[in-house]
């Protein structure tokens, strides 16, 4: 019998010290992220034994991995039935969230930065996935209409409709980023959205032309133009906005706050955004894209294959440490600069390598008579095939140790192939076969081949290194 989500949440809450130990909660695709008051009272052994809990990760927040779909429902139950404050509601309340903020400040600066980036982009992932799929379908229909494979007003209408849906998010990605960054940095959300809108607004070109920073012959080489600095510029801009707004609010009389604070805040931020933040972040973005071009988009076949192998092989440890969210700005920069993301399809091979490794372990466990491990693998494989890797990481490969490494080594072969074939995606999201519609037309087949290569690679290398004795006591 499948355990109800209410029972699952109750057992989780009991293990972490009750609802009074939770400052706030939120969720990503597979994890409930809990901002705890006191992590020392968590009974981790009991939590790991809860049916439905696939793993835990004590990172920027206390993360309980429960799988796709369940994570959102579990967080809703925490908010609605246990009256836990959602992180969105609590982020701007300094007094109530003081201890959580202090706890975060005790972490390393790098982990703080990764946590911030993660929390800016995670709420947008469903929209990113949907927009990317519709953009892909729109491009595919357009190509088929141009080639004469499809004809008629119906398909042209469908192409336009899909483009409308896709562009409704991707065309205004900067604005959504500004709003979410404002939530994280404690600024007024609408003002954060305005900073994002500034970065893509047409009058920016007029201003750049007026002060001599616009190159009409080569617009992309302009010191200041729309989109210059991309998502990096928006995040830095909202970071400055939050501090300017906070400072102004302290010195402005309450009676004038509603008018003076937003006006002066936006004026100061707009000047800094146009003449400092966007040019500097634009330089950084251009440098990053150029650097990635030497590694990821190299015309040298050897470099392309080697970089694809290394990136795919190293991705699983990054997921384990929670560092993979730090790659999201790179995805966004690639999408803005190149019209597609080449890094995501390569890294998606890591999950496929795990699937191949798990299949190999299944046969070894069958031979060794470990029925419990076989059942775990059988339950986790469907999620892994669909691109949700946590059940296999925390339930199979990581506890065994060696397969966690061999899965990555096998995935590297798929990553090398995908990189060599120049596969690009319209967006990013879960990996596995779910990501197939995200790939650009003409590259879907190469992505699928890469997944199969990763399966085979993960299977062969794991089977070569894992013996019956390795699975007997797991």
């Amino acid at each position: 019998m499948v355990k109800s989500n209410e029972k699952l949440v109750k057992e989780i809450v009991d293990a972490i010290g009750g609802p009074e130990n939770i400052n706030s909660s939120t969720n990503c695709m597979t994890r409930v992220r809990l901002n705890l008051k006191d992590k020392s009272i968590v009974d981790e052994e009991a939590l790991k034994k809860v049916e439905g809990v696939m793993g835990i990760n004590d990172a920027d927040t206390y993360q309980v991995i429960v799988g796709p779909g369940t994570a959102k429902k579990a967080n809703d139950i925490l908010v609605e039935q246990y009256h836990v404050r959602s992180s969105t509601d609590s982020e701007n309340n300094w007094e109530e969230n003081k201890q959580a903020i202090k706890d975060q400040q005790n972490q390393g600066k790098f982990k703080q930065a990764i946590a911030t980036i993660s929390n800016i982009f995670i709420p947008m992932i469903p929209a990113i996935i949907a927009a990317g799929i519709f953009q892909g379908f729109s491009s595919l229909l357009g190509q088929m209409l141009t080639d004469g494979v499809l004809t008629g007003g119906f398909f042209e209408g469908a192409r336009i409709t899909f483009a409308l849906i896709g562009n409704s998010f991707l065309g205004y990605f900067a604005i959504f980023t500004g709003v979410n960054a404002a939530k994280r940095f404690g600024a007024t959300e609408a003002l954060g959205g305005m900073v994002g809108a500034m970065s893509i607004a047409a009058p920016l070109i007029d201003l750049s032309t007026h002060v001599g920073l616009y190159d009409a012959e080569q617009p992309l080489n302009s010191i200041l133009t729309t989109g210059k600095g991309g998502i990096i510029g928006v995040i830095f801009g909202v970071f400055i906005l939050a501090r300017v707004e906070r400072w102004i609010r302290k010195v402005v009389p309450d009676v004038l706050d509603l008018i003076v604070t937003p006006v002066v805040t936006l004026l100061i931020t707009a000047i800094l955004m146009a003449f400092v933040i966007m040019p500097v972040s634009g330089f950084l973005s251009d440098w990053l894209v150029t650097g990635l071009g030497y590694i990821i988009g190299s015309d040298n076949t050897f470099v392309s294959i080697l970089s694809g192998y290394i990136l795919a092989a190293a991705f699983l440890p990054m997921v384990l440490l929670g560092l993979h969210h730090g790659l999201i700005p790179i995805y966004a920069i690639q999408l803005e600069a190149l019209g597609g993301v080449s890094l995501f399809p390569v890294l998606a091979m890591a999950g496929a390598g795990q699937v191949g490794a798990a299949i190999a372990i299944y046969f070894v466990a069958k031979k060794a008579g470990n029925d419990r491990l076989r059942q775990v693998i059988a339950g986790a494989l469907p999620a892994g095939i669909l691109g949700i890797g946590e059940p296999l990481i925390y339930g199979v490969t990581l506890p065994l140790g060696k397969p966690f490494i061999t899965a990555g080594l096998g995935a590297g072969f798929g990553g090398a192939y995908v990189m060599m074939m120049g596969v690009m995606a319209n967006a990013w999201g879960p990996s596995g076969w779910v990501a197939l519609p995200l790939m650009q037309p003409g590259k879907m087949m190469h992505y699928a081949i890469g997944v199969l290569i990763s399966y085979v690679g993960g299977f062969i290398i794991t089977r070569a290194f894992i013996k019956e004795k390795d699975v007997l006591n797991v």
Side-chain angles (χ1 to χ4, degrees):
M1 182 178 179
V2 178
K3 176 185 291 187
S4 70
N5 290 323
E6 287 82 2
K7 185 177 180 182
L8 171 64
V9 172
K10 181 183 184 306
E11 293 181 12
I12 291 174
V13 170
D14 290 342
I16 62 175
E20 60 276 5
N21 193 35
I22 308 174
N23 273 318
S24 61
S25 71
T26 187
N27 69 279
C28 60
M29 286 189 294
T30 60
R31 310 177 184 205
V32 179
R33 295 169 174 260
L34 302 168
N35 194 328
L36 300 181
K37 296 176 183 178
D38 185 359
K39 293 182 180 180
S40 67
I41 68 173
V42 176
D43 187 346
E44 290 195 347
E45 290 304 315
L47 186 57
K48 290 177 181 178
K49 293 178 181 178
V50 173
E51 183 184 351
V53 172
M54 302 171 184
I56 58 176
N57 185 19
D58 186 0
D60 54 293
T61 54
Y62 200 84
Q63 302 170 16
V64 183
I65 302 160
V66 294
T70 304
K72 177 66 171 68
K73 294 175 181 177
N75 185 62
D76 289 344
I77 292 170
L78 284 171
V79 173
E80 295 169 6
Q81 297 184 20
Y82 290 85
H83 308 294
V84 172
R85 186 182 294 273
S86 71
S87 61
T88 301
D89 294 335
S90 66
E91 281 158 4
N92 293 332
N93 191 326
W94 170 265
E95 290 301 325
E96 291 188 20
N97 210 27
K98 185 185 293 184
Q99 187 58 49
I101 293 173
K102 286 182 178 180
D103 290 342
Q104 186 183 48
Q105 290 172 343
N106 290 331
Q107 300 175 11
K109 295 294 183 182
F110 182 70
K111 291 195 71 174
Q112 287 184 44
I114 294 297
T116 299
I117 291 169
S118 172
N119 287 310
I120 288 172
F121 288 102
I122 281 176
M124 294 190 284
I125 286 177
I128 291 170
I129 294 171
I133 289 175
F134 280 112
Q135 282 284 72
F137 285 158
S138 176
S139 299
L140 183 61
L141 284 175
Q143 182 177 313
M144 296 176 76
L145 286 166
T146 301
D147 295 342
V149 177
L150 297 176
T151 57
F154 172 80
F155 292 109
E156 176 62 14
R159 183 196 67 79
I160 295 171
T161 302
F162 291 162
L164 169 66
I165 299 172
N167 286 330
S168 67
F169 178 82
L170 295 176
Y172 301 97
F173 189 20
I175 298 176
F176 289 100
T177 301
V179 171
N180 278 358
K183 292 179 183 178
R184 295 305 307 165
F185 297 135
T188 301
E189 294 171 24
L191 299 185
M194 290 181 71
V195 170
M198 284 181 209
S199 71
I200 58 174
L204 194 65
I205 295 178
D206 297 332
L207 177 62
S208 180
T209 303
H210 181 70
V211 297
L213 300 179
Y214 188 72
D215 185 344
E217 295 182 359
Q218 297 288 336
L220 293 179
N221 293 332
S222 302
I223 296 174
L224 177 65
T225 186
T226 52
K228 195 71 174 180
I231 299 304
I232 290 178
V234 173
I235 293 174
F236 276 121
V238 177
F239 178 81
I240 297 299
L241 171 87
R243 274 138 188 80
V244 172
E245 182 181 10
R246 196 173 295 135
W247 175 75
I248 291 175
R249 184 157 280 130
K250 287 180 179 178
V251 299
V252 171
D254 291 347
V255 69
L256 299 175
D257 177 72
L258 188 61
I259 296 175
V260 174
T261 298
V263 171
V264 178
T265 297
L266 283 172
L267 178 60
I268 295 173
T269 304
I271 294 171
L272 292 173
M273 187 76 177
F275 299 114
V276 179
I277 297 171
M278 289 185 70
V280 171
S281 58
F283 170 79
L284 293 174
S285 296
D286 292 344
W287 176 81
L288 182 59
V289 169
T290 301
L292 288 172
Y294 289 123
I295 301 172
I296 300 175
S298 176
D299 293 329
N300 186 303
T301 303
F302 175 76
V303 173
S304 180
I305 291 174
L306 182 62
S307 61
Y309 184 91
I310 293 173
L311 287 167
F315 188 59
L316 282 179
M318 293 184 68
V319 173
L320 180 65
L321 296 172
L323 302 179
H324 56 302
H325 293 299
L327 297 169
I328 294 177
I330 299 178
Y331 295 161
I333 289 168
Q334 275 203 310
L335 185 61
E336 291 176 327
L338 306 176
V341 184
S342 63
L343 185 57
F344 167 66
V346 174
L347 300 181
M349 296 300 108
Q354 273 212 121
V355 170
I359 294 173
I361 296 167
Y362 182 90
F363 287 112
V364 175
K366 181 178 181 180
K367 193 173 181 181
N370 190 335
D371 293 333
R372 191 200 69 82
L373 182 57
R374 288 171 56 209
Q375 290 175 0
V376 170
I377 294 172
L381 265 179
I385 292 171
L386 295 176
I388 307 301
E390 281 87 353
L392 286 177
I393 290 178
Y394 294 99
V396 182
T397 60
L398 190 58
L400 285 168
K402 283 192 289 186
F404 187 71
I405 298 172
T406 58
L409 295 176
F413 293 103
Y417 176 82
V418 166
M419 183 74 80
M420 182 178 66
M421 302 309 298
V423 176
M424 296 191 80
N426 291 309
W428 60 91
S431 56
W433 295 105
V434 174
L436 187 63
L438 296 177
M439 301 302 133
Q440 292 184 344
K443 299 296 183 180
M444 291 184 181
M445 180 60 69
H446 292 303
Y447 174 83
I449 292 172
V451 170
L452 295 175
I453 290 173
S454 297
Y455 284 172
V456 174
F459 179 90
I460 291 175
I461 296 179
T462 302
R463 189 65 185 86
F465 283 91
I466 297 299
K467 310 302 179 185
E468 290 183 44
K469 63 179 181 179
D470 296 320
V471 302
L472 285 175
N473 300 316
V474 179

